[in-house]
Structures are given as C-alpha cells and as structure tokens.
Amino acid sequence: MSRVWRLDTSRQTIALASRNDRLPEVIYWGLGLPDDEDLVKLHDAHTIDVTGGMLDANPELSICPESARSFPGQPGLVLADGHGASLHPRFAYESEVTGKNHVSLTYSDAELGLVYTVHFAIDPATHILQARAVLEANRPVRLHWLSAPVLPAPQHCDEMWDFTGRWCGEFQIARTSWTTGARLRDNRTGRTGHEAFPGLILPCRGATYTQGAAYALHYGWSGGHRMVAEELPDGRRQVQFGNASGTELEPGTRFETATLYATYSDTGLNGCAVAFQRHLRDRIVTWPNPDRPRPVHYNCWEAVYFDHKLPVLKELATRAATLGAERFVLDDGWFGTRDDDTSSLGDWQIDPRKYPDGLGPLIDHVHSEGMAFGIWLEPDMINPDSETYRAHPDWALGPEDQVLGRQQMCLDMANPEVRDYLYGCFADLLGKNEIDYIKWDHNRVLPMPDAAQPRGTYELLDRLRRDFPKVEIESCASGGGRIDFGILSRTHRVWLSDSNDALERLRIQHNAALFLPMAVTGSHVGPRECHTSGRVLDIRFRAWVAAQRHMGFEMDPRELSEDEVAVLQQVTAWWKHNRTWMTQADILRLDSSDPAVIAEQQLSEDGARFVVFAGKADTSAQIAPRPLRLTGLAPRARYRVDILNREDLHGLSRGTVALKDGPLEASGQYLMSQGVALPWSFPERMWVVEGEKL
C-alpha cells in the first residue's frame, strides 16, 4: 500500500510517497506537475534497479533515513538512551494533518517509545518550501544528530556550492564535485559563522545565474549547523541539515530542528535568490514600522573607536547629517570603564567619565540634526575584567582557564538569571533614553558548542522585542558571523562584514544576494584608507558599492575633501530618491562575459524600472569592455537605458559608445541577448546604469 502527498506552487511541485506505512521519501521535486499526475505510479517509476553486489532491494532514502533498515549512508537520526546505549528506531505511520499548502506527518516506534513528526509547508507567493522535524520520547534520551527532513539532490547536477569565508571575507563560494561519499560540514563554533554560512546551491548541468534549473537550501539556525551532502554507492543523493552534532548536552524528551528553507528554480540561480530574498523580506523579518523608508546609517566606530568625547561625537553627527545620514549609531565604548576591548563587557551602565550627564546630551543633539539614535551592545559576552564577572564568575560559559577571544568569555545565555540581568540592564537603558536601534554584536565563538546558548539568546531577543516593539535590531558578529533566517526572525538588519573595503564588499554582497535582499543588508562607505585592508579606493567606487544595499557611512567625515563630500551627498540623495522601489526590488546577478566585472541588476517589483551596478574588480583580459547582458526584462517591450554617473568617464575612453552621449532605446530581447556596451574604465570603478520600460 502506498500513501502519497504533494505540495505545489505555480513554479514547483514536491511529492512524497511511502510503502507499508514506513517513512516517506521525496519521489519528485522540480517543475510543477500536472494536477492529475498519478503519484502512486510515480512512486513505482521512482524505483531504481538492483544488480550484483547490492541488497535485494534498495532501502528507502526517506525523509529520515533509518539505520535499522540497512540504509548504506548517513542516517537522519542518531540517538541513545539515558545510559548511552544506541537506539535504532523503525518508525511506522500514525497520523497526518494536511491542508492546501501544508502537510504534517506523524510516525512512531511504540517499542522504543518514540514519536517522529515532520512538518512541510510551501509558500505559493515566494515559492519557498519550509520543513522541520520533531522527535518526542516517553523517557529522557540523548540526541547526537537529528536532521531536518531529508531532501534529494538532483542527478543532473555535477557540483554543489556551499559557503565558506573568514572575518572580513565572508560568503566565499566553495564548489565541490559530486562523487561517491559525503561532503560534510559540522560547524561547532556555536554561532552561524563566517566560515560556514548554512546554505547550499545545487546548479543543474548548464545552469547560470539567469537560466537553467537549480535548487537551493538554507538552514535557519544561529547556533552552528551540520550539513551532509552525500552520494550513495547506488548513485542516489541526499542532503541533510540540522543543528551541529552533539550540541544537545542534556538528555531530553523533546527535540526539534530549525526550519529548513528550500526552493527550485527553472530560471537559473537568480530564481532561487529571488525566492529567498522575497521570503526573508516579506515573511521572516517583522519590521517595527514597515512603512518607514530604510534610513541612511552613520556608525561612529571607525571614526573614534573607544575614544568617546562628547564634542567630537556631536561634530561627527552634524557632519553625518550634512552628508544625508538619518540614523546615528554610537558604537562600542560608552559603558563601564570601556577604554579598549579588555574590560567592562557585562557592565551595561553608562560611563560617567565620558557621559557625566548620561547619553541625553548626545541623543538630543542627534535628534536636533534630524537623525534617530542607535547604540551598540554585546549581550552574549563578558570580560573577566568587569564588575559583573567579579560578582558572578559562574555566569561565564565554559572553564575558567579557557582561551579568551577578543579578551572576553561568553555568558551562559541558557541561565535564566543571566537573561534576567541582561534584560534589566537593557530595559533600563531603552526605557530612559530615546533609542530606536540596537547593533547586537557577538565577537567570539563559544568555548564549547551548546544548542541551549542560541535558544537563550533568542529568548532574550524575543522578550526585548515584545516590550520595546519599535526598536530595530541589527545582527552583527564580528561582521557576518551570525546571519541566518533564525536570527533574522528576531532582527531587521545584518552587518554583512566588518570589511569596509569596497572591492571586497563588492564580491561579498554579490554572493550574499543569493539569500539576502537589499532591505536587510547593511553596507557602509568606509574611510579613504580602509582600516581592515589598507587599500585606498576612490570615493565614487566606495559610495556606489554602499548604494547597492542599505546605505550608510562608517568613517571620520572630517577627513573628507569638498569633492568627496559632494560625491557622497549626490549618491546619498540618489539612494534616498530610489530606496522605496529598490527595497522591494529583486537583486539579479548577471552572467558577466568578463570575469573582471561583477555585475547585478536590481529589478523593480512591477518590472518597470531597473538599475545595473557593474563593478570592475580587476583588470580585464581584453582591451575593450564586453557587452553586459541584462535579465528579467519583457522581450517585446522597449526600454530607455542611461548611464547615471557619466561624469566619471575618463579620457582614455575614446570611442563612440552610444551611452556616452545620452540614453539609448532598445528592446528587452536585445538587452538580454546582445547586452549593453559600456565605456572603458579603470579597475576599481563602477558604472551605474538606469533603465525604464517605455
């Protein structure tokens, strides 16, 4: 007997089936099937052959492959009883709850006293599949590994893309060829991590950014994840995501994975990216004031670091407002006796040496300049040199003689006393001061992985959000070390990287757009000489790279020349004029024919307008620029296309390129097939091209 289920959007179908009341397997995931497709027959068609050297039948590659059924690969559940003896459940169908866009299936092993429930839902508007698993036991058990519902990887896929990186170098794509065996990533740092963003792209053969079939997955959890992408000896492929292995430190009777988000696209990798961008922006993030335009940001960190002087900060605020800033963020150094990074984390009281009258005078000045006020916090951390640690050394996570990170330890966020203390400090701060923004940082990895730690942080965030619903929160972890849909269900912006080097950010932003929309992605114009790379870049390049995302400044504006001030004012004014439609736009990566050019097209929700950012990251191999093909346009419609920053033309561009003299008009088909001819430029420059449908 077969049981079958399916979920559909206008773009894709996922179908599951099971025999003899065993756990189901995904028998189809791809382009939408006809409504009358016979899934029972598809289940039969899904069966692969058996030959010599194999079992007499192939164990199901189910949504939770079971070690007790001779499965030859990574099981979806690794479990022990309270005494450490391994458990090998054999789940059988118990019940289901189904609806138009969701299905929940419950299975049990009566002998072992275990109940396994999976929840699938699909969003018809964003085309995102959501899946999670729950395990319940009638007595405490020890969980070593629980995968979210397992999805198959396509056979017509030669490689997988996952994401690695480092501090100031996040979102680097790692390409791995499929072969028998497993690509295993087990991030045990206790946070999402620079080195292991929890995402996976599966481009099918021939796929590019703009065409072909592709699959993408993201695990929405902030505490470190495990990914297994495995090809079995028989050729079948599975993808598992879950919390990092061994991070449930205590026996329990209920365990739950985070949500696995996944999608299929037949319009290239951009189809996957748009699904994630829209789902995050429209379904995950809960905005304090959805109608408020994203404000231009100013952060004082790279201007003053820990050296807080009220007259200087007031001057910075005035200059930032002149540039167009609408929010001023006071970074690290305002509390305790915090003159460097060696002390005072945990002492969340305003430093009376630096602010004898409290933060009020600075906040009042910021408001008088027409800006909102934000502040930096690092709630999860504590310095051994702090009054709080001296009073409560037991609040620190891990042994006393652990290796420190940035001179600090982690607080035990699973401890309710710790959360109550932090809540009291921050509620007092927010209650007494007009603060509408928090930069929530996390500057070291955990001394040991522990799933209870991010759950404690989630609880504190949820409590503060309930009581201060108008406060916007940014997730920062030495830059991009805690970016995932779990933290973003509680925050509103991410600090993508601590690098303000525009050349590095060009690539980081480009790759992050496979998952992140403009609305949540902070990008700042940094100092003339970048503090993290030492590179000196032209103000125009720095400004336009920041204008690709949620724009801001993070430098000492006193260093700016009159020309640099004028450029920033011009680009910021352009960004403000366009931010409303750009916030809702899709970020589409372009298939650049020149590897030196990193280009994207932001296309409005109604398709009526777009802007192309074509950044030249290196010297081109050929002399003249190659045409840049656009995407997502109506083939028969006509478009007016123009270079926005024509004044940046250099004398070495000597030809008669049409765009140099004014706008051109062409069909969508031409712009997507032949492309736009751009003028020559030096490396580390950006062309900005605007287009509108006629």
Side-chain angles (χ1 to χ4, degrees), residues 148-423:
V150 175
L151 298 176
Q155 294 288 304
H156 45 292
C157 173
D158 297 320
E159 64 180 14
M160 65 189 86
W161 297 6
D162 59 353
F163 297 84
T164 182
R166 56 170 173 79
W167 178 70
C168 286
E170 295 85 345
F171 284 95
Q172 299 177 30
I173 295 175
R175 294 170 170 86
T176 305
S177 297
W178 280 99
T179 186
T180 303
R183 165 74 164 165
L184 170 66
R185 302 195 66 158
D186 204 358
N187 170 23
R188 298 172 59 77
T189 64
R191 66 181 186 187
T192 319
H194 303 82
E195 62 289 323
F197 174 77
L200 181 68
I201 307 288
L202 302 171
C204 296
R205 193 168 297 146
T208 70
Y209 299 138
T210 61
Q211 60 189 358
Y215 298 78
L217 305 92
H218 167 67
Y219 188 65
W221 171 244
S222 309
H225 73 281
R226 187 173 196 252
M227 181 197 80
V228 181
E230 182 179 31
E231 181 172 304
L232 304 178
D234 58 34
R236 291 179 295 171
R237 296 166 173 174
Q238 64 162 332
V239 177
Q240 298 186 10
F241 272 99
N243 297 1
S245 60
T247 55
E248 299 292 352
L249 304 185
E250 300 295 331
T253 58
R254 189 181 189 279
F255 302 95
E256 182 174 355
T257 70
T259 299
L260 176 66
Y261 301 89
T263 193
Y264 164 80
S265 163
D266 65 340
T267 56
L269 274 65
N270 281 341
C272 297
V274 167
F276 280 112
Q277 291 168 23
R278 292 181 179 181
H279 195 81
L280 176 60
R281 183 192 65 215
D282 300 337
R283 301 288 191 267
I284 302 296
V285 178
T286 53
W287 304 98
N289 185 352
D291 297 327
R292 178 188 183 185
R294 307 302 289 140
V296 177
H297 214 78
Y298 175 74
N299 185 293
C300 70
W301 176 240
E302 294 196 8
V304 298
Y305 291 101
F306 298 99
D307 187 17
H308 290 207
K309 294 182 175 64
L310 186 58
V312 172
L313 291 169
K314 286 183 175 181
E315 182 183 358
L316 294 178
T318 297
R319 289 177 180 263
T322 301
L323 295 173
E326 298 162 308
R327 172 189 286 150
F328 179 97
V329 178
L330 184 67
D331 213 287
D332 193 358
W334 58 268
F335 55 92
T337 54
R338 181 81 164 169
D339 297 327
D340 54 34
D341 64 5
T342 66
S343 76
S344 300
L345 281 177
D347 299 342
W348 298 110
Q349 293 80 38
I350 298 166
D351 186 346
R353 302 170 306 154
K354 299 175 182 177
Y355 300 97
D357 299 313
L359 295 176
L362 178 59
I363 294 174
D364 289 344
H365 179 77
V366 166
H367 287 167
S368 73
E369 295 289 354
M371 295 186 291
F373 185 84
I375 200 163
W376 180 95
L377 303 173
E378 193 170 8
D380 310 65
M381 303 295 163
I382 191 167
N383 286 122
D385 183 10
S386 66
E387 297 303 320
T388 304
Y389 181 82
R390 284 184 277 273
H392 302 282
D394 55 308
W395 284 3
L397 188 68
E400 185 177 352
D401 61 349
Q402 66 184 266
V403 176
L404 300 182
R406 202 179 181 239
Q407 310 295 326
Q408 63 198 49
M409 305 167 80
C410 297
L411 282 168
D412 181 2
M413 299 298 286
N415 184 340
E417 290 185 12
V418 170
R419 297 198 301 270
D420 286 345
Y421 165 75
L422 293 172
Y423 174 83

Side-chain angles (χ1 to χ4, degrees), residues 292 327-330 334 350 359-360 363 367 372-377 425-439 468-472:
R292 178 188 183 185
R327 172 189 286 150
F328 179 97
V329 178
L330 184 67
W334 58 268
I350 298 166
L359 295 176
I363 294 174
H367 287 167
F373 185 84
I375 200 163
W376 180 95
L377 303 173
C425 291
F426 302 145
D428 183 67
L429 179 69
L430 297 174
K432 292 179 179 177
N433 298 278
E434 290 188 65
I435 297 171
D436 82 338
Y437 186 86
I438 293 172
K439 178 181 177 182
F468 300 93
K470 297 300 183 182
V471 175
E472 189 173 314

Side-chain angles (χ1 to χ4, degrees), residues 462-625:
D462 292 343
R463 187 176 176 187
L464 286 168
R465 286 285 309 279
R466 283 193 301 269
D467 293 347
F468 300 93
K470 297 300 183 182
V471 175
E472 189 173 314
I473 302 174
E474 172 187 287
S475 176
C476 175
S478 300
R482 188 156 65 179
I483 297 176
D484 59 81
F485 284 19
I487 201 71
L488 277 162
S489 68
R490 297 162 171 87
T491 57
H492 313 92
R493 188 183 197 256
V494 295
W495 183 226
L496 190 59
S497 176
D498 273 347
S499 174
N500 279 318
D501 184 312
L503 190 59
E504 294 176 350
R505 275 196 98 87
L506 182 67
R507 177 198 54 78
I508 295 170
Q509 292 176 175
H510 192 63
N511 291 345
L514 287 166
F515 296 92
L516 304 180
M518 171 271 214
V520 306
T521 308
S523 187
H524 297 172
V525 183
R528 185 181 299 123
E529 180 178 346
C530 178
H531 291 189
T532 57
S533 71
R535 190 178 281 123
V536 177
L537 295 167
D538 183 82
I539 188 64
R540 291 159 181 81
F541 186 61
R542 286 184 279 147
W544 284 119
V545 169
Q548 290 181 266
R549 299 297 184 266
H550 182 192
M551 188 177 186
F553 319 123
E554 187 162 348
M555 92 294 262
D556 189 338
R558 295 172 297 181
E559 77 171 19
L560 298 172
S561 67
E562 290 185 9
D563 175 64
E564 289 172 325
V565 168
V567 169
L568 282 185
Q569 289 175 331
Q570 177 188 1
V571 175
T572 303
W574 176 88
W575 190 85
K576 287 181 178 180
H577 180 71
N578 290 276
R579 61 182 162 188
T580 299
W581 74 264
M582 287 173 61
T583 299
Q584 299 298 315
D586 299 325
I587 302 173
L588 307 173
R589 292 157 56 113
L590 295 179
D591 292 322
S592 174
S593 300
D594 182 352
V597 175
I598 297 176
E600 71 179 33
Q601 176 184 334
Q602 297 191 19
L603 182 64
S604 66
E605 196 171 23
D606 61 4
R609 63 191 305 180
F610 62 83
V611 59
V612 172
F613 296 93
K616 195 170 182 182
D618 204 347
T619 302
S620 297
Q622 75 288 342
I623 295 177

